[in-house]
Amino acid sequence: FSSHNEEFDLVLGGGIVPGSLILIGGSPGVGKSTLLLKIGGNLAKHGKKVLYVSGEESAGQIKLRANRLEANQKELYLLSEISLESIQNEILREKYDCVIIDSIQTIYSDKISSAPGSVSQVREITFELMRIAKNNDIAMFIIGHITKEGSIAGPRVLEHMVDTVLYFEGDSSKELRMLRGFKNRFGSTSEIGIFEMTGGGLESAKNITNR
């Protein structure tokens, strides 16, 4: 199904596949949360039931951003939570079409004694989220922060576990952003999406040029 964002659909290979696990990596502040909140709003506006899970910001902060992005839709639900078990309960309690996890480094599982963001936590949580996505046909987006070395924080095994890996790149001091595929089980990795950061969030740079 379509994300109702031409650039995003292009990089995904035509749209969002139910039951797929999509990892979006990028440096802190580049706009990953803004992009996915807007996509979540688009999906909710067109009748999809979306859960946005934030371990980074309070519900109030996200609501303000959603209002600014015009993403505050009736079918977009927000959960401010870092416990995997609580997140699982909510996902299974309602029939969501799409779940956004912001971010994988902040979520922790009670089953593992190590700290959130550690290799064992990230691996276990990704495995559990993948199981839920596949068993319930939920499209699942996972945000991962990129380290200074340029890789997604956590083990490389994370990239092997998911269906699609996208990198969101750009200089936070400039408006242009690029979304490119690094791995995609459902399409090509040769497409690049180009966005421009505006007052109302990220928009297709092509649409802005055409106006």
Side-chain angles (χ1 to χ4, degrees):
F1 54 87
S2 175
S3 69
H4 306 283
N5 182 300
E6 192 183 337
E7 299 291 296
F8 200 73
D9 282 352
L10 180 72
V11 180
L12 283 175
I16 300 167
V17 178
S20 63
L21 198 61
I22 301 152
L23 176 65
I24 297 196
S27 3
V30 77
K32 302 182 295 299
S33 302
T34 301
L35 174 65
L36 282 182
L37 189 58
K38 182 67 173 174
I39 296 297
N42 287 355
L43 293 173
K45 186 178 180 181
H46 290 85
K48 298 290 184 190
K49 195 168 187 178
V50 183
L51 178 66
Y52 189 101
V53 180
S54 175
E56 306 252 334
E57 295 174 291
S58 71
Q61 287 174 302
I62 294 167
K63 184 181 180 184
L64 287 172
R65 185 189 293 145
N67 288 343
R68 180 172 58 83
L69 300 175
E70 296 180 359
N72 199 349
Q73 302 292 331
K74 187 170 180 282
E75 289 297 294
L76 177 61
Y77 296 82
L78 175 62
L79 179 65
S80 187
E81 182 59 73
I82 58 171
S83 160
L84 175 65
E85 286 70 28
S86 299
I87 294 164
Q88 282 176 310
N89 290 340
E90 175 57 29
I91 293 172
L92 298 174
R93 190 177 67 83
E94 297 278 351
K95 179 59 181 153
Y96 291 103
D97 299 295
C98 178
V99 175
I100 298 162
I101 305 289
D102 184 10
S103 70
I104 193 70
Q105 280 93 5
T106 59
I107 310 299
Y108 80 92
S109 169
D110 293 332
K111 297 175 188 170
I112 300 166
S113 55
S114 54
S118 64
V119 170
S120 51
Q121 283 278 6
V122 169
R123 188 190 288 121
E124 171 69 20
I125 288 159
T126 304
F127 178 77
E128 282 299 318
L129 292 172
M130 178 173 69
R131 190 178 60 77
I132 293 171
K134 304 291 180 199
N135 289 347
N136 298 279
D137 254 3
I138 299 167
M140 186 98 59
F141 289 93
I142 296 175
I143 291 177
H145 296 312
I146 285 184
T147 61
K148 288 176 183 172
E149 291 73 43
S151 62
I152 293 173
R156 284 313 283 244
V157 73
L158 191 62
E159 295 183 354
H160 298 303
M161 289 167 79
V162 301
D163 298 305
T164 304
V165 180
L166 306 178
Y167 279 95
F168 199 43
E169 302 166 334
D171 186 336
S172 54
S173 65
K174 297 186 175 65
E175 282 76 34
L176 279 183
R177 303 282 190 279
M178 278 198 321
L179 184 69
R180 63 184 178 88
F182 175 73
K183 168 190 174 181
N184 192 351
R185 283 187 182 143
F186 310 112
S188 161
T189 53
S190 59
E191 300 288 1
I192 291 178
I194 302 170
F195 298 85
E196 185 162 356
M197 186 66 88
T198 69
L202 288 152
E203 289 190 40
S204 163
K206 291 171 192 164
N207 290 349
I208 289 166
T209 309
N210 292 339
R211 279 211 296 271

